[in-house]
Amino acid sequence: MGLTVVGTVAFDAIETPYGKTDKIIGGAGTYVALSASYFNKDINLISVVGEDFPQDYLDLLKKHNIDINGIQIKEGEKTFFWKGKYHKDMNVRDTLATELNSLENFDPVVPSEYQNTDYLMLGNLTPLVQRQVIERMKKRPKLIVMDTMNFWMDIMLDELKETISMVDVISINDEEAQQLSGKNTLVKAAKVIHAMGPKYIIIKKGEHGALLFGEGKVFSAPALPLEYAFDPTGAGDTFAGGFIGYLAKTNDISFENMKNAVIAGSVMASFNVEKFGTERIVELTEKEINERIAKFVELTTFNMRKI
Ligand code: AMP
């Protein structure tokens, strides 16, 4: 089933306790689309970059069967730039710079061949743009999933809430769920966010896994315990890509199948943190992905009788 993704395509500069990068390819849209590309061969990406964005990076997306006709290249403008630094505890990071550049006046064009896709992933970027993409589809997709970030909560909360009211699933990290809801437990936060519109809430807890809330049920997925995590940048977006990529591939949006999709997201995120930036998720094989799915099954299966 077709999948359309919108999100930033960016330059990132990253510093973790294990190393530092100069401007490399990043962006929520990049991570989502690359991750989803392992599940789905029909992916469209809507975004904007400046004229400084290298052709090699666009070719990398194309190599992963990602249709990039929806990426606008703005002459005379610069690409969105984000700089982040992780603490020793890599669940904590400081954003050192967010330069919107070409994202500032981005008016998304949804090419006609994208307008009928059944699955829509609103990756992290301006909430107004996320909403415009929904409005510019010919028909409402079967499933709309969104991700967002504290940055947008801080500067355009009302705009963000309007977009949230239009989606089926929101994927958000624990701190952001607390900020958005004003509640300090995740169960309460999920209830408040549910009342804002989405039927399903995914709360990501970094190296502690993710929770899926919906239909009065909860599912808990672990993160794979890893000896080394070099760079968590994009883990949330990679998770989202695996989640929606799996749903689009199986074309089943029941709660039961969403559990599998949460595991697919966790599998992809576990790879992403193993190397810097997108390095790991551009080189994966189906065999590696299947082996890791098996590890998750092993990690979460037990056979216990009631006492
Ligand atoms: P994550 O680690 O999942 O939060 O995603 C990090 C990615 O999000 C980086 O590649 C950034 O380029 C991108 N990013 C950072 N800030 C923003 C923002 N305010 N809007 C959209 N994308 C962003």
Side-chain angles (χ1 to χ4, degrees):
M1 282 288 146
L3 166 61
T4 294
V5 176
V6 59
T8 43
V9 170
F11 283 131
D12 287 350
I14 306 162
E15 189 174 338
T16 84
Y18 302 102
K20 209 174 162 174
T21 69
D22 220 358
K23 284 186 171 180
I24 56 170
I25 185 173
T30 303
Y31 283 100
V32 169
L34 285 172
S35 174
S37 74
Y38 290 93
F39 299 90
N40 209 296
K41 299 289 166 236
D42 185 8
I43 298 179
N44 310 311
L45 182 54
I46 297 171
S47 196
V48 64
V49 293
E51 64 178 15
D52 54 352
F53 200 70
Q55 184 62 39
D56 282 1
Y57 284 169
L58 295 172
D59 290 343
L60 176 78
L61 297 170
K62 278 203 239 168
K63 212 179 111 201
H64 282 263
N65 292 312
I66 298 163
D67 186 303
I68 58 164
N69 284 335
I71 301 185
Q72 295 176 34
I73 302 172
K74 290 279 177 197
E75 260 178 51
E77 292 192 33
K78 283 172 30 180
T79 300
F80 176 89
F81 172 65
W82 176 80
K83 187 173 182 181
K85 182 176 176 178
Y86 291 84
H87 293 216
K88 260 208 186 102
D89 168 3
M90 285 207 285
N91 286 313
V92 187
R93 88 173 166 205
D94 299 325
T95 288
L96 302 180
T98 303
E99 294 174 13
L100 296 178
N101 298 328
S102 55
L103 186 65
E104 192 133 28
N105 297 308
F106 178 39
D107 185 9
V109 173
V110 181
S112 60
E113 64 276 20
Y114 296 11
Q115 289 174 9
N116 281 311
T117 47
D118 278 328
Y119 290 83
L120 176 62
M121 176 70 220
L122 306 174
N124 189 18
L125 87 178
T126 328
L128 173 63
V129 172
Q130 292 178 316
R131 198 164 77 236
Q132 284 169 330
V133 171
I134 301 177
E135 288 163 355
R136 293 174 187 181
M137 299 294 282
K138 215 169 265 151
K139 62 170 178 55
R140 193 196 188 276
K142 181 170 168 179
L143 191 78
I144 306 177
V145 181
M146 84 175 277
D147 193 358
T148 188
M149 196 182 182
N150 51 359
F151 181 84
W152 304 110
M153 292 173 201
D154 293 340
I155 64 170
M156 45 182 86
L157 185 61
D158 290 343
E159 213 42 280
L160 178 65
K161 282 188 174 166
E162 208 171 324
T163 306
I164 291 174
S165 75
M166 298 167 78
V167 307
D168 303 300
V169 185
I170 183 167
S171 165
I172 190 169
N173 79 23
D174 41 10
E175 260 180 48
E176 290 157 357
Q178 286 165 349
Q179 179 173 347
L180 181 63
S181 64
K183 301 290 176 194
N184 53 9
T185 75
L186 299 183
V187 174
K188 277 191 191 160
K191 269 194 188 154
V192 171
I193 299 169
H194 178 57
M196 293 177 183
K199 206 168 158 201
Y200 303 96
I201 325 288
I202 296 171
I203 301 185
K204 297 165 287 181
K205 301 180 292 168
E207 65 171 322
H208 306 298
L211 297 170
L212 165 69
F213 296 88
E215 301 176 15
K217 298 178 260 198
V218 193
F219 174 67
S220 171
L224 190 70
L226 290 170
E227 206 165 328
Y228 302 103
F230 284 98
D231 173 19
T233 306
D237 311 311
T238 306
F239 173 93
F243 176 78
I244 196 151
Y246 183 83
L247 290 176
K249 177 187 169 75
T250 51
N251 195 23
D252 171 357
I253 57 170
S254 64
F255 186 84
E256 276 312 299
N257 199 46
M258 278 193 196
K259 292 182 186 176
N260 298 331
V262 167
I263 297 294
S266 307
V267 163
M268 297 309 288
S270 76
F271 283 120
N272 182 61
V273 302
E274 288 178 344
K275 286 191 180 176
F276 269 93
T278 56
E279 266 173 46
R280 186 70 178 109
I281 56 159
V282 295
E283 60 168 25
L284 289 172
T285 63
E286 214 164 83
K287 182 168 175 277
E288 284 177 306
I289 294 173
N290 281 324
E291 283 169 2
R292 196 149 292 185
I293 292 173
K295 276 198 178 164
F296 269 85
V297 172
E298 197 183 318
L299 189 66
T300 51
T301 311
F302 51 87
N303 194 356
M304 185 183 174
R305 289 170 201 269
K306 283 185 185 165
I307 57 165

